[in-house]
Amino acid sequence: MGLDRVVKGISDKAESECREIIARAQATASSIKKDAEEEAKKVYEAEAARADQAISKMRQRELSSAKLEVKKSRLNAEKDVLEDVRSEVVKRLSALPKEKKVDILNKLINLARKEVPTGKIYANATDAELVKGSGYEYGGNIKCIGGIVVTSVDGSVNLDYTFDSILDEVWAANVKGVSDILFGSR
């Protein structure tokens, strides 16, 4: 029986050592698992923060792009409205009553006479008969909404008093004011 006791002692000792090894292995595995979970959590949080930042940048770019597109569309719409207003002005100038047109043409002729007392006068075909008795030699028809062009005898002075050129000057000088009235100042 002494041998059985020695075998049992060795067996018990082996089992005890085995339990200790398993306990240490389980503790090591638990520690490794805990460290891995913490590292995974850090990686996840870093990636989530990076993704949030990328989403925020993308959202900002899209928002900026949308604002730019809206502004571009608004400016194009305003440009279209201003073109419509100018077209309406041209339409109204073209449809002036004869009495009003005669009055305007006489004022333009008197203004021209101060700089060019003699020379040739040009007008559109519709207004030709209205300016032929002006004292200037009629030079021919020109393409314009209305008004006159007067040229000195030697051709050195050329006065453009067409409605077109007057409208261009007035429009350039006042388009911002017109825009402010129509769309509010920005």
Side-chain angles (χ1 to χ4, degrees):
M1 287 239 182
L3 193 54
D4 284 337
R5 210 184 282 164
V6 171
V7 170
K8 180 156 172 45
I10 292 173
S11 178
D12 287 347
K13 188 174 180 184
E15 277 184 38
S16 175
E17 286 178 14
C18 196
R19 282 192 294 273
E20 286 177 22
I21 291 171
I22 290 172
R24 280 195 310 262
Q26 286 176 338
T28 302
S30 178
S31 175
I32 291 171
K33 181 180 175 187
K34 182 180 175 188
D35 290 346
E37 286 174 348
E38 287 175 5
E39 184 62 26
K41 183 178 177 183
K42 287 178 186 176
V43 169
Y44 172 80
E45 287 171 353
E47 288 301 316
R50 212 171 313 165
D52 286 346
Q53 190 176 33
I55 289 168
S56 178
K57 284 180 181 179
M58 188 182 303
R59 182 179 293 127
Q60 188 61 39
R61 274 194 310 271
E62 290 298 320
L63 184 60
S64 293
S65 178
K67 283 181 181 179
L68 184 63
E69 193 61 37
V70 166
K71 187 173 185 176
K72 185 178 167 184
S73 294
R74 186 173 135 231
L75 289 173
N76 283 336
E78 288 177 5
K79 180 182 167 206
D80 291 344
V81 169
L82 287 172
E83 287 175 6
D84 290 347
V85 168
R86 185 179 169 105
S87 293
E88 182 63 24
V89 170
V90 168
K91 182 177 159 187
R92 288 184 182 191
L93 284 172
S94 298
L96 283 174
K98 183 177 179 180
E99 305 79 39
K100 183 74 173 168
K101 195 176 268 194
V102 167
D103 183 49
I104 292 171
L105 290 172
N106 285 333
K107 287 178 181 174
L108 293 174
I109 290 167
N110 290 334
L111 185 63
R113 227 178 259 305
K114 293 177 184 176
E115 289 186 58
V116 180
T118 59
K120 291 185 179 181
I121 191 167
Y122 301 86
N124 66 23
T126 308
D127 298 342
E129 291 304 315
L130 301 176
V131 300
K132 283 187 178 176
S134 65
Y136 287 109
E137 177 186 341
Y138 189 70
N141 297 338
I142 56 172
K143 185 176 179 181
C144 64
I145 303 167
I148 58 171
V149 170
V150 175
T151 306
S152 63
V153 174
D154 64 358
S156 63
V157 179
N158 189 36
L159 302 176
D160 184 351
Y161 291 150
T162 59
F163 294 172
D164 308 66
S165 64
I166 295 169
L167 176 59
D168 287 345
E169 288 178 29
V170 170
W171 188 261
N174 295 292
V175 72
K176 185 185 179 334
V178 170
S179 180
D180 289 348
I181 291 168
L182 291 174
F183 312 114
S185 46
R186 288 169 228 136

